[in-house]
Amino acid sequence: MVWRHQMIAAASAGYQAIAFDFRGYGLSEHPAEPEKAKLLDLVDDVVGLLDSLSITKVVLVGKDFGAVPAYILAALHPDKEPGRAEADCCHFDVKSVIRNIYTLFSGSEILAGDNQEIMDLYNPSTPLPPWFSEEDLATYVSLYEKPGFRFALQVPYSLGYISNIITANNPHGTLGVDSGISDPKITVPALLMMGEKDYVVFKSFGMEDYIRSGTVKNFVPDLEIIYISGSHLVHEQFPEKVNQLIIEFLNKQKHLIV
């Protein structure tokens, strides 16, 4: 959802751009049996979408959890992907949850005590960041008021994939799913845009050392890393800059896409 701004920019630059909701996210339908859903289902959905549109080469753009199925797809289907770019409650109403996410994740530090959850830090008087308006909030709320968050949070968080994917917690680089690949590598060119004040991902899980030390390149050898002085939400905080970086990356890979 949040990458639609970037997709519009890519389309304006002459590229075919597709922005879709994963199953169970936004306005898409939930699976018939959500309790049986797997992370690989999301990967299969992307492959199915590309096949239905007869698209044989693609650059995937993923953010936060969206980068996880993008990474797995690149490892399982390198023939389809010439490049990759990425830059990571239920008793509260939808508006409160989304407002809390944006006010907390746009900061450079999240301080929680023992046994506290993210919504325990909710303060409705905290103003929204200047780059995220009440109109933006209302649009995001409209996408989750009907389906809620239950399934949207089920696969990435309750099953533990976020901390089990390629991070310092998983130095051997397994995909965290039963994919048949024990030593996955992304062989295509990739771009990582990282907010240096991203307390959600960059400052957690040992990720900063993992990225700055270059260990990440053991799994993504042809990786370009760009640091942006922003939060977890740099693509919305600095959309024009992120758009420019994506277009520059696409232009570099044009010979692989066409």
Side-chain angles (χ1 to χ4, degrees), residues 175-194:
L175 289 175
V177 295
D178 184 15
S179 62
I181 297 180
S182 59
D183 184 26
K185 282 185 170 57
I186 301 299
T187 57
V188 295
L191 168 66
L192 172 62
M193 290 174 279
M194 179 58 66

Side-chain angles (χ1 to χ4, degrees), residues 12 23 93 99 120 132 169 214:
S12 298
R23 64 170 77 187
D93 64 278
R99 174 182 284 275
D120 293 331
F132 189 73
N169 297 328

